[in-house]
Each structure stands twice: as structure tokens, then as C-alpha cells.
Amino acid sequence: MLGFSKNKKLRIRLLGDPILAAKAKRVEKIDDEVRALAQEMIDVMHDARGIGLAGNQIGLPLQIVVIDVDMPVDEEGHEIPLESPGEKALLPKMPLCLINPELVAYSKEVCDFEEGCLSVPKIYANVVRPCRVTLKSQLLDGSEVELECGGLLARVLQHEIDHLKGIVYVQKVEDPAYGEIERDLIKMIRKNGQKNFKVRRLVNS
């Protein structure tokens, strides 16, 4: 049993909730319960207008992630040619559920990009991450993929798989950008009822 009930609406947990710092456990079997959870997570993600959601974020520390990344377009709305094998294979399948996903390779080239998070609503900051990653994962139909991914897809994969490791993106925000959001983070944490909670930063401050 996953601890998931169709009759109980999933709730997105906010920064300060201990479940966001938990390391997620592997999903041992893809069955009807897992498929139902995946669909519920997709619905919650869409309702919140997000493009990614991990198990920890809805209170279930399981290695399950749902994503919905659009095809990239230029300023005039024309689709931009996809460069990475992962984008070509996965973007047409969105929304997508990943089971036990892991990143097995990272590019040396890094990119700086503004991120947000459904567990840290209305707070945005730049995070430096590798531009390309290689994803290894099961899909909901039981098939396995191992693909190099670039673009926004690579960014979302790193963000969501971090959640499965108990990491929230704000922990990777460098100074001075962190100082610009720190006061808002403290307000959010206190509002969430965690007065003594402190963000464990993973970059040099």
C-alpha cells in the first residue's frame, strides 16, 4: 500500500514541512494504485499550474515524478527544433509520469535559469545547473528509457529529482540572489507553522 487514497485529495506540502527533506523510496511495482496516484498527481500539478511535481511534495516520499513540459517556441510562437534525444522522445508524450527516475550523467556546461516551485509558491530565483543530463527511468507502462535531455526538460528533471533526494531548489540558490528571497522564505516557513526550521543551503554562502 502506498498510503494513497482516491477519496482524499492530495495536498501540496510547503517549505518547512519535514516530508520535503525526506529521501524517497523506490516504487517496487507499477500497479493500478500507482497509475491512479500518477493521474491524481498530474491533476494536482495542472490545477496548480505547475510543470512538475514529485512524490514528496504531496506527502508521499516515493520515487514518482510527473512532468508536463511544452514544446519550445520562439517569440512568434513557432516551434523550435528539438536538439536532444530526450526532448524528441519525451515531449510528445507529455504529461508524463516517471517511476524511480535517476540522472546518470551531467554535462560540464552549466546554465543559469530562474526557477519556481509549487512547494515554494510565488518565490523565484536563479539556479545554476548542468545544461544537459542523462535520464534513466521507468515509465508508467513499465518500459525503461535512458536518454540525454536538454532544454527546459533537463532543468525540470533536475528540479524534480532533487525533491526525491529531499532537496528543494532554494537550497541551491547562490548569493546575492538568496538574500533577495530570504525574508520571503522566512515568512512562508513561519506561516507554515515551522518557527525553528532553517533552510539547509547546499552552495557556498
Side-chain angles (χ1 to χ4, degrees):
M1 296 293 290
L2 301 179
F4 160 68
S5 172
K6 294 181 184 178
N7 299 322
K8 186 177 181 181
K9 186 172 177 60
L10 298 178
R11 175 174 61 88
I12 296 175
R13 306 302 177 89
L14 301 181
L15 186 68
D17 191 315
I19 197 73
L20 294 176
K23 292 185 178 181
K25 298 179 181 179
R26 286 183 61 82
V27 175
E28 298 299 334
K29 181 182 179 182
I30 301 175
D31 54 17
D32 287 345
E33 189 178 13
V34 170
R35 285 185 280 270
L37 172 60
Q39 185 55 59
E40 184 72 12
M41 288 178 65
I42 289 171
D43 292 342
V44 170
M45 175 182 66
H46 284 162
D47 287 346
R49 299 185 178 181
I51 59 174
L53 188 68
N56 302 53
Q57 291 181 273
I58 45 89
L60 296 174
L62 298 168
Q63 292 182 18
I64 180 170
V65 161
V66 294
I67 57 175
D68 194 356
V69 179
D70 291 333
M71 292 283 188
V73 295
D74 61 22
E75 293 180 356
E76 298 178 352
H78 300 127
E79 288 190 2
I80 299 172
L82 302 175
E83 297 183 1
S84 70
E87 289 170 284
K88 293 176 182 177
L90 300 180
L91 291 192
K93 298 180 179 180
M94 297 290 166
L96 193 64
C97 177
L98 304 175
I99 304 295
N100 303 322
E102 57 180 320
L103 300 177
V104 296
Y106 302 82
S107 68
K108 292 183 179 179
E109 180 187 6
V110 296
C111 303
D112 191 357
F113 191 82
E114 186 178 74
E115 295 188 21
C117 181
L118 295 180
S119 292
V120 194
K122 300 180 181 180
I123 297 177
Y124 304 91
N126 284 353
V127 182
V128 177
R129 297 187 188 269
C131 298
R132 297 164 80 92
V133 295
T134 299
L135 168 72
K136 182 177 181 181
S137 180
Q138 286 180 284
L139 302 183
L140 208 53
D141 62 6
S143 62
E144 296 186 2
V145 295
E146 186 166 342
L147 296 163
E148 183 187 44
C149 303
L152 180 59
L153 177 60
R155 171 75 48 169
V156 173
L157 289 172
Q158 291 176 80
H159 180 113
E160 298 305 330
I161 291 174
D162 267 356
H163 274 302
L164 303 183
K165 301 174 183 177
I167 297 170
V168 180
Y169 91 94
V170 295
Q171 295 176 249
K172 292 189 171 182
V173 176
E174 299 177 357
D175 287 330
Y178 185 82
E180 296 173 2
I181 64 171
E182 186 173 18
R183 181 174 296 179
D184 290 334
L185 293 178
I186 293 172
K187 288 181 180 178
M188 178 181 297
I189 292 166
R190 287 178 177 170
K191 187 176 180 180
N192 195 28
Q194 301 291 332
K195 295 181 180 179
N196 297 319
F197 179 89
K198 292 185 178 180
V199 175
R200 182 174 62 88
R201 299 183 65 191
L202 300 177
V203 294
N204 293 326
S205 56

